Amino acid sequence: MGTLFKNGTIITASDMFRADLLVEGEIVTLIGRDLDPTGHTVVDCAGKYLMPGGIDVHTHLDLSFGGTYSNDDFNTGHKAAAFGGTTTHIDFVIQPPGGSLHDGLIEWRKKATLAQIDYGFHLAVRELNDAVLDEIPTLIDEGVTSLKLFMAYKNVFQVDDSTLFRTMRVAAKHGMIVMVHAENGDVEAALTPALLAEGKTEPKWHASSRPPEIEGEATNRAVVMAGMTGCALYVVHMTCEPAIAALRRGRALGYPVMGETCCQYFFLTVDEHLAAPGFEGAKYVCSPPIRSKHDQEVLWGAVKDGTLAVVSTDHCDFWYEGGVGPTAEWAAAHPNGDWHAFEAQDPTYRRPGKELGRGNFAKIPNGMPGLEDRMMVVWHAGVNGSRISPQRFVELHCTNPAKVFGMYPKKGTLAVGSDADIVVWDPNKEHTISAKTHHMHCDYNVYEGMTVRGVPVQVYQRGIRLVDGDQWLGKNGAGQFVRRSPGAPIL
Ligand code: DUC
Ligand code: ZN
Ligand code: ZN
């Protein structure tokens, strides 16, 4: 006995057609017209779309960053993701200072014991030595085929050009993909103190400390190195015209380079959001920063013409009003902040958040929530707004992420033999986004008050129903690690 999704309209990256879809066990076993329902549980999908489960390849769950930890973990973040139609994500394991890549993996595997949806890992290289260079190809045996290097966050995550270049050479040899956070961290490190010294301390000055030029320059540097080494490059969270121009140039030269943007960069601007009165702008501080209306149009153009392959989130959420609770003494006595243990004892406590940067934009933890909202907001502005087709939407949010990161066709499509990760999408249902109703562990939502049309009404992972309307049916430990293959195509 299986589950028969009847009379829905299936959307894949290439097609949109009326059909029934049968799931037996964890996979799709049949797609066809008028399939016999005898013996199956029937899900009536008339008037609904069936899409592959969303894949967000850029998340930071439970990340130690900016003097605190990001709020959502593999429990709350997974539930929120699924409520938004995302059934698989790839999180960034960070190599611990002085440690190996495998040390990082061990740490992230512990976090993932809570998993409710499927997940994979990228590995962020921080310190490269001979041992780490040798370790890189062994990650493939662990199902990890992508590396990440930060060209920004000086004295925290930033690597130098030699590290990036040597990592690319090794990755190229083994069919692994290198991802970069492309901003020139040295220039940022010079701009920031100068702004603060001039009394420019409010959140909006964060954007001036990281102008588009430094994103464009770093993108070009990484693109050139990809051309020289033949390494597949994926530039994360691209935001602006100079960066897109650098990627376009590399692609025109035939270099193996790809890029993503994140949903917030289509919607938020410095003038309207980062420069909001008081400390409100802190909610929108992320790196690279949100940009201008002009850059938003450049991004839509790049999504339309294929320059950008993926839309993800860079989900990394922090309380707007954090550090709350009767626990100041406890926090003072625990400078390394074992927030998790403490929050387990006292759920009224909130770890520090954006308020860390009151009076100094450079101390505002970088990042924002988005994992739950991604598919709804981009569908609304992209498909309802006639900017992209439903098929292109599926390609950007499901299929390309699976292809680029070695999970296709197990993930990212609805085809016979694929995992039955299925979103039943109601294209006519409206929903007003709010922090009051979202499932992310965060006290604000960057799309607060936005009414979208087109929402997930049921979400399945490997044939198991996780979401039904407002109801959560998932459970901890049910999410599985997705082992990924090297040698993925350049899109
Ligand atoms: N940018 C952010 O805004 N947050 C997490 C890490 C990053 O690169
Ligand atoms: Zn980044
Ligand atoms: Zn990130």
Side-chain angles (χ1 to χ4, degrees):
M1 166 163 158
T3 305
L4 184 63
F5 295 80
K6 257 211 148 323
N7 294 319
T9 297
I10 295 176
I11 310 177
T12 67
S14 56
D15 300 300
M16 191 163 169
F17 54 99
R18 282 279 304 280
D20 300 343
L21 181 150
L22 181 64
V23 173
E24 288 171 297
E26 298 196 337
I27 61 170
V28 176
T29 53
L30 197 59
I31 295 174
R33 272 285 165 97
D34 302 323
L35 298 184
D36 182 1
T38 311
H40 301 308
T41 303
V42 173
V43 180
D44 178 14
C45 297
K48 309 285 193 305
Y49 295 158
L50 295 180
M51 297 196 261
I55 302 176
D56 188 344
V57 297
H58 189 156
T59 62
H60 301 283
L61 299 182
D62 199 8
L63 176 69
S64 170
F65 189 46
T68 183
Y69 276 80
S70 59
N71 284 4
D72 273 311
D73 60 13
F74 283 71
N75 178 36
T76 59
H78 280 194
K79 185 171 165 185
F83 268 107
T86 291
T87 52
T88 303
H89 75 111
I90 312 184
D91 208 71
F92 290 92
V93 173
I94 311 279
Q95 177 191 14
S100 70
L101 304 179
H102 281 81
D103 290 338
L105 262 186
I106 291 166
E107 191 184 338
W108 254 258
R109 281 183 184 138
K110 279 191 207 134
K111 297 177 195 279
T113 53
L114 298 170
Q116 312 218 47
I117 63 169
D118 289 356
Y119 62 94
F121 293 137
H122 309 291
L123 231 144
V125 177
R126 241 172 156 171
E127 294 167 7
L128 194 67
N129 51 40
D130 287 346
V132 173
L133 272 173
D134 288 345
E135 207 186 350
I136 287 173
T138 69
L139 293 173
I140 296 172
D141 301 331
E142 311 283 359
V144 174
T145 55
S146 43
L147 303 164
K148 159 92 172 276
L149 293 102
F150 288 88
M151 301 170 80
Y153 296 122
K154 198 169 169 62
N155 301 323
V156 184
F157 297 142
Q158 185 175 331
V159 298
D160 60 16
D161 289 348
S162 163
T163 298
L164 177 56
F165 190 75
R166 285 182 299 143
T167 303
M168 280 184 168
R169 271 200 313 224
V170 173
K173 199 164 151 198
H174 297 278
M176 298 174 83
I177 185 167
V178 163
M179 310 165 79
V180 287
H181 171 132
E183 288 182 292
N184 185 321
D186 289 338
V187 174
E188 179 276 319
L191 290 173
T192 294
L195 288 161
L196 293 171
E198 288 172 32
K200 295 174 173 168
T201 59
E202 296 90 354
K204 69 176 178 189
W205 298 107
H206 178 259
S208 309
S209 74
R210 311 178 88 111
E213 289 82 353
I214 73 169
E215 187 185 333
E217 184 281 325
T219 303
N220 187 57
R221 209 172 348 131
V223 163
V224 170
M225 287 191 217
M228 291 173 72
T229 57
C231 179
L233 174 73
Y234 179 92
V235 185
V236 301
H237 51 40
M238 301 188 71
T239 71
C240 59
E241 191 164 31
I244 296 294
L247 181 66
R248 274 206 182 108
R249 177 177 166 274
R251 289 171 68 81
L253 288 168
Y255 295 170
V257 294
M258 298 171 277
E260 70 168 22
T261 190
C262 302
C263 47
Q264 59 271 26
Y265 296 114
F266 291 126
F267 296 92
L268 309 175
T269 62
V270 178
D271 291 348
E272 197 184 332
H273 298 92
L274 208 56
F279 192 59
E280 277 285 299
K283 293 176 177 173
Y284 310 100
V285 167
C286 61
S287 295
I290 53 174
R291 305 286 188 193
S292 65
K293 290 257 181 231
H294 171 73
D295 289 302
Q296 291 179 359
E297 288 313 313
V298 170
L299 295 178
W300 281 116
V303 148
K304 277 191 207 169
D305 72 12
T307 304
L308 289 172
V310 171
V311 177
S312 66
T313 62
D314 198 10
H315 179 87
C316 188
D317 55 352
F318 300 98
W319 297 118
Y320 178 57
E321 293 184 58
V324 177
T327 56
E329 306 77 32
W330 184 91
H334 296 76
N336 294 324
D338 186 1
W339 320 115
H340 301 86
F342 193 77
E343 284 167 347
Q345 288 167 35
D346 179 356
T348 64
Y349 178 67
R350 282 186 182 183
R351 67 190 71 177
K354 296 282 185 178
E355 79 293 340
L356 287 171
R358 272 188 195 277
N360 181 347
F361 69 80
K363 293 194 171 158
I364 299 171
N366 283 203
M368 63 178 75
L371 186 50
E372 182 169 355
D373 307 312
R374 176 183 69 136
M375 294 179 76
M376 291 181 282
V377 295
V378 182
W379 178 276
H380 187 68
V383 178
N384 296 344
S386 302
R387 288 180 159 113
I388 53 173
S389 67
Q391 292 95 319
R392 180 67 177 149
F393 175 86
V394 166
E395 191 168 38
L396 291 164
H397 295 82
C398 317
T399 314
N400 283 353
K403 286 182 176 170
V404 172
F405 292 101
M407 295 185 274
Y408 187 83
K410 174 181 167 67
K411 304 286 187 193
T413 192
L414 292 177
V416 171
S418 296
D419 280 2
D421 299 347
I422 299 170
V423 180
V424 182
W425 188 268
D426 186 340
N428 297 312
K429 189 167 173 179
E430 295 199 338
H431 169 66
T432 300
I433 294 175
S434 173
K436 293 194 184 80
T437 49
H438 73 198
H439 301 83
M440 296 177 288
H441 194 47
C442 193
D443 54 351
Y444 73 97
N445 188 302
V446 301
Y447 309 103
E448 185 71 36
M450 184 195 285
T451 298
V452 292
R453 181 162 43 83
V455 297
V457 287
Q458 285 193 347
V459 179
Y460 293 76
Q461 175 124 67
R462 287 177 280 101
I464 307 282
R465 196 160 30 123
L466 297 184
V467 172
D468 196 345
D470 295 337
Q471 231 190 324
W472 176 247
L473 303 163
K475 56 174 196 281
N476 289 123
Q480 291 181 1
F481 176 69
V482 183
R483 294 182 67 81
R484 298 182 289 116
S485 316
I490 311 297
L491 301 180

